Amino acid sequence: MSLPSSAPPSRGAVAAAEQDLSEAEFAELDELLAQIPEPLEPLDAVMLDGFLCGVIVQPALVGADEWLPFVFDAGGHRWGEAEPSAEQLRARGLILRRHAALNRSIAEYGGFDPFVLEPLDDEASAVAADDVAAAPLDPIVAALLPWVAGFEQALQLLPGLAELSEPAVATTLARLFRFLPEDADDPHALAALVARERPLASLDEAIAEVVGCVAELYELTAPLRYKVEVIRRDAPKVGRNDPCPCGSGRKFKQCHGAAGAAKA
């Protein structure tokens, strides 16, 4: 797990739902997800971390029931019987705690500590094993690919962010998607250009780039996420002593206003 250079300032005790997971709990959650039986296709803990950030930066608030099933299966199918098991309840609790901790850290501190595992040399090469002709991935890309793939999976499920016409959103997404493998059919053509034009020297620098991109996306979408709809009247408000709009000649309080008061 990557560690920040400096921790956020202490703000006293926080609610249990906002307490982040320990390394042991991350490992426990990863094991719980790995034990989900086939044919379900759950996320692993690293992809889950990116997925949760993809949910958090959406331009609209997204309820847990809308995205949580897709953590346990890519198709959103039910895990187990109608009565949840102890393992299901434990996994759900850990996931929601991590979601709350990420949301709080991004909102209050403008950053977070992503759950990223640095792969061994042979693991970096194995990422491209399905394509024998492909060259081994760069170690930095290999380390961040699962996290960014999880983020992208959230955007496929919740397309609101990607559909925004704001150029800054597209540019920031390109900086993030640079860590996905380059493909001739890749819809993120700008991401490949960013990767070539702005190389990163180390994994720490790359992690800082990922965190910065997520924080920028959060700020860009915050005005939309917390937008308050204003109710506009089709006609001017009528005072109680004003003439009734119906044309009866009586005061509003003695005509249609009286009817409204009686219903209340």
Side-chain angles (χ1 to χ4, degrees), residues 139-154:
I140 294 176
V141 173
L144 291 172
L145 188 154
W147 196 99
V148 178
F151 184 95
E152 185 189 35
Q153 189 162 329

Side-chain angles (χ1 to χ4, degrees), residues 205-230:
E205 186 177 341
I207 289 174
E209 175 79 345
V210 167
V211 172
C213 287
V214 172
E216 289 176 28
L217 290 170
Y218 186 89
E219 288 297 321
L220 287 167
T221 55
L224 299 173
R225 194 162 44 253
Y226 300 107
K227 181 180 179 181
V228 177
E229 295 292 338
V230 178

